[in-house]
Structures are given as structure tokens and as C-alpha cells.
Amino acid sequence: MSKITFLGAGSTVFAKNVLGDCMLTPALQEFELALFDIDDQRLKDSENMLINLKASMGSSVQVKAYTNRKEALRGAKYVINAIQVGGYKPSTVIDFEIPKKYGLRQTIGDTIGIGGIFRSLRTIPVMLDFAKDIKEVCPDAMFLNYTNPMATLTGAMLRYGGVKTVGLCHSVQACVPELFKSLDMDSNNVQWKVAGINHLAWLLEITRDGKDLYPEIKKRAIEKQKEKHDDMVRFELMQRFGYYVTESSEHNAEYHPYFIKKNYPELIDKYNIPLDEYPHRCVSQIEEWEKTREDIVNNQNLTHERTHEYASYIIEAMETDVPFKINGNVLNNGGLISNLPTKAVVEVPCLVDRSGITPCYVGELPEQLAALDRTNINTQLLTIEAAMTGKREHIYQAAMLDPHTAAELSMEDIVLLCDDLIEAHGEWLPTFYKESVLK
């Protein structure tokens, strides 16, 4: 029996989406769905939920929970990763509350910025431990990474893990439908092309029957900006730089130096920026889980409809050899995007079939878009450098080159902030914390 292993299976709702999709895929009916999580209760919850879902949908997959990670991985053909190292408490709270003391505010904090840097530093060592196990017990497995920060984690796995890896995000699939819904436009029969880096990929082309739809999009967006809405940052970026970005305004507000500024507090209201959105969302999700847990975990009539998450479609294409196109996060080897660094992880169209995942050549991005992406790539590459060398100065440098952090804080304050975060995270950052203790 072939095996799909899900690491971080205690993310019950996400496990339902991704593995429920697999249950609905005919080519995957004889697979074992192997579940692993370090939280025994959440692991049991997901196991119960998936067993009920299997029965209600009449799927013939096998669901099995493991408390030993290596055994969960043994013989796996595909590995899906959805972990969060440090969780909401203590780590996410630390990532937000300590920067506030320096006047540095964030919205999501999971991609770059101070929050993204430290989330990467917590997670990369764990991912490389996964890679060691994979090379031992399932060396041919395809590793499907859903965990953020996408570019740094996928880059570390591809450059240092020695494991076949692709990074997956749903911002590309959602980009055009959400844009057209926002502007009250018909999204049927549109063709589009997206490329860039994760969360800063760009809608390069959007047509219907050969007609460029960008003029109408921009016209409607200008009118839309006259009222408050949730996409004001993205529309402003499109107006100034010419193209629409795939990820949400709440994310993009902290990827650039223009929007969250303590000396211009009026910008927060002007662009409708939800500061501390991710911690607030975590609290809401925890409260919602407590209310709905019984209905999800022990519901014998639980149902599911296939989502737009890429995982099941990738596995299906590799099993059946029926090609499927995705936008995947891969190394920019060979200059897939020729005006971005080769060490960068780029998000580009990829063809999936039995031979695996084949990225497509994009060529040059419009120079202004490549420039915006490079500002984020700088921090991503130095964060990986810090994780792999254990050198604290690379953490400082990654933070100094982060557009939002550099726009708000002095070099000295950036160093002090990073030191405070290392101290607060403690054993979640064993290499750097040990150095602090020894000093």
C-alpha cells in the first residue's frame, strides 16, 4: 500500500481539507494516510475526524496515526508538511509583543519581517531533521511544504535537505477569483499568468478571448479605492507599480516600507490595515475550535468537497501521468525568472506528471516587480544563512535588510530587538540561545 504522510496532522481543519481531497480522488483510494503530530490529543482528534470522513464518503483509504515520526514516514511516497514550531503560545505572542516595545508593528508576521525571520529560525532545524528521516526511510518521497515562511523553508530543504521538495500556497489559485469578485467582474473563461516569489507573485497577464483585462481592472480599482475595503494596499501597489499582487493586503502591508509607519499613523486608517491580525485570528480560531470541535471530530456524517489546495492534484497527476499545472515554489536554478537571484525560491508555473514537478521558464519580470521581490529575497537568503551557519550577525543583517523593519528602526535598535527575541524564545532557538547563555 502506498503512503501519504501528513506531518503536523494536529491541524485538524487543514488535514480535513488536504486529506479529504485525497479521499475524493479515485487514483488515491488504496493509499494509507499516515498522521503524525507532537500533540497527542490533536493527533487523536484528526484521526477520529478522518476515520469518520472516510466512512461517510465511502473511501477505501486507510487512516493511521503514529506517535513515532520515523515510522510515520517509513515507506512514504508523499510527505505533506503543515507544522507550526512554537505555536501561538509562546512563539507567535513573542514575535508580536517584543517588537511592539520598539514601536515596530506587524499584521501577520509569518513571511519576512521580524516575525518571519524568527519563525524561520525556529522551523528550519526541525525541517532539516525531517529531511534526515526522509533520506533514511523514504528517500524517493516528494515533500509538499505548506508551512510558512514558504521561501525560506522550501529554500533550506532544497539547498541543504537533499529531499525532493515543492512549496505550495493557495494565494495564486485565489488571486483572480477574489479580485474579480471584489470588482464585480465576471471571472469565467479568463486566462492568466502569475510569477514572482511566494506572497509577492504578480498577475502578469489577464485576458479573455485575447483581450487584455487590465485596463478595466485598473479603472474599477480606482473607483473602489474611494471607499474603505480589505484590498486597499494591493490596489495601491497596482496603481503605483502596474500589476496586481497575489497575496492579501494584510500581508503586503508589512512586506514594503510604505504602509505601517509610526510617524504616519494616519496610513493605518487610510489603507484599512489590520495591525496584529494574526494573533487576533489565532485567538478567534482557538475559540471557534472549542465551539465546533465535537461537531468536527466525532461527526459520523461529516462531508467534504474537494478544495483548490494543490496537494491532491499533484499526487493524482504523479500517480496517473495526467498532467496538471500548478504554481509551485522552487529554486530559481537556471534563471527561471532571469532577473532574480539563482538561490532564491520563486513561485512559477509548473507542469506535474509522473516524472515529477517541472518548473516553467518565465524570463524577466517587469523591472519594478523584480526590484520589489529582491527586497524580500535579500532577507530570505540571509535568514537561511543565519540558520545554517549559526551566526547571529546574519540575523541582524536579515532584519536590517527587511524593508519594513529598516524603515522603522535604527541599526542599533534592530540589533537590540533581535537579541531580545533570541532571549525570549530561549530553547526554541537552541543554537542562538545557547550562545546567549554562554555569554
Side-chain angles (χ1 to χ4, degrees):
M1 176 175 284
S2 297
K3 181 192 282 188
I4 300 168
T5 298
F6 195 112
L7 302 175
S11 303
T12 304
V13 174
F14 190 64
K16 176 181 182 293
N17 287 342
V18 173
L19 297 181
D21 289 352
C22 293
M23 290 183 188
L24 289 171
T25 305
L28 310 184
Q29 288 309 296
E30 301 308 317
F31 272 70
E32 175 189 330
L33 307 183
L35 314 178
F36 176 77
D37 199 279
I38 60 173
D39 185 320
D40 290 342
Q41 183 57 59
R42 294 297 298 266
L43 178 62
K44 186 64 176 176
D45 284 349
S46 292
E47 182 186 25
N48 289 344
M49 178 272 295
L50 289 166
I51 288 171
N52 287 332
L53 190 61
K54 169 191 170 180
S56 68
M57 296 197 305
S59 174
S60 58
V61 299
Q62 179 179 327
V63 176
K64 185 175 180 181
Y66 292 80
T67 56
N68 181 292
R69 186 178 76 203
K70 191 175 288 188
E71 291 309 309
L73 288 167
R74 190 175 300 279
K77 201 169 183 180
Y78 306 95
V79 180
I80 298 169
N81 180 57
I83 63 170
Q84 184 181 359
V85 178
Y88 166 60
K89 286 185 178 180
S91 292
T92 296
V93 172
I94 291 171
D95 284 343
F96 275 79
E97 292 305 314
I98 289 181
K100 279 185 190 178
K101 297 176 183 179
Y102 290 80
L104 184 65
R105 303 298 301 274
Q106 300 168 91
T107 53
I108 306 296
D110 76 344
T111 305
I112 60 162
I114 286 296
I117 291 168
F118 279 82
R119 184 180 279 228
S120 294
L121 295 174
R122 294 192 301 273
T123 311
I124 287 172
V126 177
M127 299 266 284
L128 294 179
D129 277 347
F130 292 171
K132 290 178 184 176
D133 285 352
I134 289 167
K135 286 187 288 187
E136 179 182 344
V137 301
C138 54
D140 296 323
M142 172 63 70
F143 190 85
L144 309 178
N145 179 49
Y146 274 104
T147 296
N148 284 325
M150 180 60 64
T152 52
L153 302 186
T154 302
M157 288 292 281
L158 286 167
R159 291 170 59 193
Y160 299 103
V163 171
K164 291 184 291 187
T165 302
V166 64
L168 304 176
C169 181
H170 47 240
S171 61
V172 174
Q173 302 97 298
C175 173
V176 170
E178 290 181 358
L179 171 63
F180 277 47
K181 182 179 179 181
S182 172
L183 297 178
D184 195 26
M185 294 177 67
D186 179 11
S187 62
N188 288 326
N189 300 317
V190 297
Q191 294 178 309
W192 44 266
K193 178 182 178 182
V194 165
I197 63 173
N198 181 240
H199 289 188
L200 269 175
W202 304 93
L203 184 60
L204 299 175
E205 300 172 6
I206 178 76
T207 63
R208 182 188 287 113
D209 298 326
K211 180 182 178 182
D212 182 8
L213 297 179
Y214 252 128
E216 181 65 19
I217 289 169
K218 292 177 180 179
K219 176 183 174 182
R220 295 192 184 209
I222 290 171
E223 288 300 310
K224 185 80 172 178
Q225 290 291 74
K226 295 176 181 178
E227 60 187 46
K228 288 283 179 67
H229 60 92
D230 292 335
D231 225 4
M232 301 191 78
V233 169
R234 281 205 279 183
F235 284 7
E236 182 72 8
L237 288 169
M238 179 170 61
Q239 181 179 345
R240 303 298 181 181
F241 290 95
Y243 294 83
Y244 190 66
V245 68
T246 51
E247 189 47 82
S248 66
S249 285
E250 62 198 20
H251 275 279
N252 267 275
E254 63 183 10
Y255 299 162
H256 309 279
Y258 314 117
F259 301 105
I260 305 173
K261 304 179 76 67
K262 58 179 176 285
N263 291 332
Y264 298 90
E266 67 275 11
L267 294 176
I268 302 303
D269 179 66
K270 178 179 179 180
Y271 292 107
N272 201 26
I273 296 170
L275 296 176
D276 295 339
E277 167 64 19
Y278 186 66
H280 294 156
R281 185 183 302 173
C282 288
V283 171
S284 297
Q285 288 175 343
I286 291 167
E287 291 174 349
E288 182 65 19
W289 174 250
E290 290 173 351
K291 293 176 185 176
T292 61
R293 175 182 173 276
E294 184 67 23
D295 289 338
I296 295 175
V297 171
N298 296 315
N299 182 357
Q300 295 186 1
N301 297 311
L302 194 63
T303 60
H304 179 72
E305 294 182 3
R306 199 171 185 183
T307 72
H308 63 193
E309 299 292 354
Y310 280 140
S312 69
Y313 297 95
I314 289 172
I315 299 171
E316 180 180 34
M318 292 181 68
E319 290 297 309
T320 64
D321 204 30
V322 176
F324 186 78
K325 188 182 86 169
I326 66 167
N327 269 67
N329 288 272
V330 296
L331 273 183
N332 195 32
N333 281 340
L336 297 169
I337 298 180
S338 54
N339 50 352
L340 294 182
T342 57
K343 289 182 180 178
V345 167
V346 292
E347 193 167 66
V348 296
C350 300
L351 181 69
V352 187
D353 57 18
R354 185 160 287 153
S355 64
I357 296 173
T358 305
C360 298
Y361 177 78
V362 173
E364 287 195 355
L365 294 179
E367 197 54 53
Q368 72 275 20
L369 305 186
L372 287 172
D373 283 356
R374 286 193 292 261
T375 66
N376 282 227
I377 290 168
N378 294 332
T379 293
Q380 292 164 358
L381 294 182
L382 275 161
T383 300
I384 296 173
E385 195 76 5
M388 299 311 301
T389 64
K391 293 182 178 180
R392 190 181 290 223
E393 58 262 37
H394 291 319
I395 303 178
Y396 303 151
Q397 291 156 0
M400 289 174 187
L401 288 169
D402 171 65
H404 173 44
T405 305
E408 292 291 275
L409 302 183
S410 69
M411 283 183 165
E412 183 177 359
D413 278 348
I414 290 172
V415 170
L416 292 172
L417 169 57
C418 290
D419 286 343
D420 283 353
L421 283 164
I422 291 168
E423 185 70 23
H425 281 299
E427 294 298 336
W428 290 106
L429 297 172
T431 300
F432 302 102
Y433 181 63
K434 181 179 180 182
E435 179 186 339
S436 297
V437 172
L438 290 174
K439 284 183 179 180

